Amino acid sequence: MALHKGHAEPEPDRHLSLNPFYGLANPVSGMTEAPPVHRLPDGPVPPMSAYQLVHDELMLDGNSRLNLATFVTTWMEPQAGVLMAECRDKNMIDKDEYPRTAELERRCVAMLADLWNAPDPSAAVGCSTTGSSEAGMLAGMALKRRWAKRNADRYPGSARPNLVMGVNVQVCWEKFCNFWEVEARLVPMEGDRFHMDAESAAALCDENTIGVVAVLGSTFDGSYEPVAEICAALDALQERTGLDIPVHVDGASGAMVAPFVDEELVWDFRLPRVSSINTSGHKYGLVYPGVGWALWRSPAELPEELVFRVNYLGGDMPTFALNFSRPGAQVVAQYYTFLRLGREGYRAVQQTTRDVARGLAERIEAMGDFHLLTYGDQLPVFAFTTAPDVSRFDVFDVSRRLRERGWLVPAYTFPANREDLSVLRVVCRNGFSADLADLFIGDMNRVLPELRRQSAPSVDNKAAATSFHH
């Protein structure tokens, strides 16, 4: 006897609803049809065809490993990539459903509080963000709210808050001032001073100043602003006037460099006037974009009214980030990197990167065609311009010719009061090895002879020639 029997009677008709990703592929559609690019296609295409179309178009992007403009991490270990893939579907905000991911975020905050010498790391408060831009917005909001509470009798009636910072700050601070209606008081560059100094910062402060932003690692040239000197100048200002002005340290890059290779430098919560610090985990924190961190010295520096308690999916969840839903992958990758490297591992990575930067800067200076502004001995970043006697080409010519060989080296003009100065900037990151530095120098030596034979720089409009914007 047969074990299985077919249906004696036909089954009634039924409608099958299948995921269109499972649909059969037309084997000749790729030869005869091209999907539109500015509207949704009428129907699906096979997954391999969709992949190949996108993959082929992306080949025209620059090679991220040869991008010497970006501060963002362009290489991680394969194991980190696997962890990120495993967590890309987890919503970071849903701490009730993903409690272990939330725990890893909490551990990262505690590790950073300890790294940055918070008086009581267990009491420091902080959160992950999508990057330093969001972290800076949060820090600025806290500064403004604390100032507004102290000046409730004058604000918002007659007093307009202001924020003091150097003209070299990242654009996120200009956005903050624009979005939250704060006057941006910018210290201009002067002569060979390319960032804010203590005296200039204190001179711009008054009773409406919500805080001073000190940058630990300027994106223009890689230099540190003198955080301790700025705090000392504000201490003296308080003694004279009674004004108690907090400092926020924008450590987007430097806060993950200085603790490991500049241990003697005092810039962090060891300075009582430093109320908050931000950093980019996806820069020298060595994680793929995008993850940042914002930390406050204690709960007193983060006004409670900025913390929202949300009943989300059955859990009471405090949140004070600007974004809500975002993947947990980058936070997990940050914890992996902290666990993987530890202090000694970070010290080795950052020291090697600085060594590469300093060696590369010295070799470029030895060519004789360039004048170095910085040497990569703070951030592993240096800026240089053409030597005074070079008139046949400029930095924009160099940037253009290097791009032809695959290297992305930004050329740009400095802000007020040094608009006359145009520079090239090289950012060295983990993954930019001594071997790649040798290849870069080789290509510099290949393009220079032809540039030296030019009669004059090739582009008159420097604004149009600029290949990089902060």
Side-chain angles (χ1 to χ4, degrees):
M1 178 182 289
L3 296 177
H4 303 285
K5 292 184 178 180
H7 291 286
E9 297 179 359
E11 290 185 351
D13 290 339
R14 59 177 179 164
H15 177 70
L16 284 178
S17 178
L18 291 177
N19 186 328
F21 281 109
Y22 298 161
L24 295 176
N26 179 350
V28 299
S29 65
M31 302 172 64
T32 61
E33 302 172 9
V37 294
H38 295 120
R39 62 177 177 82
L40 281 173
D42 294 331
V45 296
M48 197 61 205
S49 299
Y51 166 80
Q52 202 63 48
L53 285 167
V54 178
H55 172 80
D56 289 353
E57 187 162 346
L58 290 175
M59 288 195 300
L60 297 178
D61 273 347
N63 185 329
S64 64
R65 292 285 297 281
L66 302 183
N67 183 358
L68 302 185
T70 184
F71 285 79
V72 171
T73 295
T74 55
W75 181 88
M76 289 189 77
E77 292 174 312
Q79 292 85 351
V82 171
L83 276 174
M84 294 183 76
E86 292 173 351
C87 297
R88 61 192 171 197
D89 59 341
K90 294 182 179 180
N91 189 356
M92 189 67 236
I93 203 66
D94 188 1
K95 294 173 171 54
D96 188 58
E97 290 292 321
Y98 307 116
R100 301 319 300 170
T101 304
E103 169 62 13
L104 298 190
E105 179 187 30
R106 189 194 66 80
R107 292 179 190 176
C108 287
V109 168
M111 289 176 176
L112 289 171
D114 178 69
L115 181 68
W116 296 338
N117 296 291
D120 181 0
S122 65
V125 292
C127 67
S128 66
T129 64
T130 54
S132 271
S133 293
E134 182 187 357
M137 297 280 181
L138 295 174
M141 288 165 57
L143 290 174
K144 182 181 178 183
R145 186 61 59 93
R146 288 169 59 201
W147 171 86
K149 290 177 69 174
R150 294 194 304 270
N151 294 274
D153 58 329
R154 302 188 304 119
Y155 178 79
S158 59
R160 185 187 179 195
N162 66 73
L163 184 65
V164 173
M165 49 197 167
V167 72
N168 55 299
V169 291
Q170 213 268 350
V171 70
C172 72
W173 291 104
E174 298 177 48
K175 288 182 179 179
F176 165 76
C177 290
N178 188 356
F179 296 164
W180 274 272
E181 298 182 330
V182 173
E183 177 192 355
R185 292 191 174 178
L186 301 176
V187 175
M189 297 180 178
E190 296 291 348
D192 293 332
R193 177 179 59 74
F194 303 121
H195 56 229
M196 180 173 66
D197 66 316
E199 182 180 349
S200 299
L204 289 180
C205 293
D206 59 23
E207 68 276 8
N208 294 328
T209 301
I210 65 174
V212 173
V213 177
V215 179
L216 195 71
S218 171
T219 59
F220 279 89
D221 64 357
S223 61
Y224 295 158
E225 289 187 336
V227 182
E229 293 177 18
I230 292 169
C231 288
L234 295 176
D235 290 343
L237 179 67
Q238 183 176 7
E239 291 179 5
R240 296 194 309 271
T241 66
L243 296 175
D244 185 8
I245 297 173
V247 169
H248 171 79
V249 178
D250 182 349
S253 295
M256 292 306 296
V257 173
F260 306 109
V261 293
D262 298 306
E263 294 178 80
E264 75 289 347
L265 182 67
V266 178
W267 62 273
D268 52 17
F269 289 127
R270 286 170 288 181
L271 298 167
R273 196 165 290 277
V274 173
S275 65
S276 51
I277 301 171
N278 72 273
T279 197
S280 291
H282 60 230
K283 292 179 181 174
Y284 290 99
L286 309 180
V287 175
Y288 286 139
V291 62
W293 300 93
L295 269 72
W296 288 262
R297 170 185 293 275
S298 71
E301 279 75 29
L302 180 63
E304 175 63 27
E305 60 267 26
L306 292 181
V307 180
F308 290 84
R309 301 193 178 277
V310 182
N311 183 354
Y312 187 61
L313 296 182
D316 179 61
M317 179 192 61
T319 175
F320 46 97
L322 294 178
N323 287 293
F324 202 69
S325 294
R326 56 188 173 89
Q330 285 80 6
V331 168
V332 171
Q334 183 74 84
Y335 182 71
Y336 165 86
T337 307
F338 285 168
L339 186 68
R340 169 78 172 89
L341 292 179
R343 286 180 180 255
E344 288 305 315
Y346 263 99
R347 183 173 294 110
V349 168
Q350 311 300 35
Q351 186 61 59
T352 298
T353 306
R354 177 180 282 182
D355 291 344
V356 170
R358 293 176 66 177
L360 191 58
E362 291 170 1
R363 294 166 74 180
I364 289 174
E365 185 176 47
M367 293 175 177
D369 298 270
F370 303 103
H371 167 68
L372 268 72
L373 278 63
T374 49
Y375 287 81
D377 53 354
Q378 293 184 330
L379 285 189
V381 175
F382 61 94
F384 57 103
T385 188
T386 48
D389 59 341
V390 172
S391 59
R392 295 177 180 269
F393 64 90
D394 59 17
V395 295
F396 302 100
D397 290 323
V398 178
S399 177
R400 175 178 54 82
R401 292 305 308 275
L402 287 173
R403 192 181 186 99
E404 293 171 1
R405 307 192 72 88
W407 300 101
L408 304 179
V409 182
Y412 52 93
T413 55
F414 271 23
N417 291 332
R418 288 306 313 268
E419 296 97 328
D420 60 305
L421 180 60
S422 300
V423 304
L424 293 152
R425 190 199 65 199
V426 171
V427 177
C428 297
R429 304 177 306 279
N430 185 37
F432 183 70
S433 63
D435 289 341
L436 283 176
D438 288 342
L439 294 175
F440 178 74
I441 288 295
D443 282 335
M444 285 281 287
N445 285 324
R446 290 182 184 92
V447 303
L448 279 175
E450 184 173 340
L451 291 173
R452 291 165 181 153
R453 290 193 294 270
Q454 288 183 178
S455 59
S458 59
V459 178
D460 292 329
N461 185 355
K462 304 308 181 191
T466 298
S467 61
F468 174 78
H469 299 278
H470 288 266

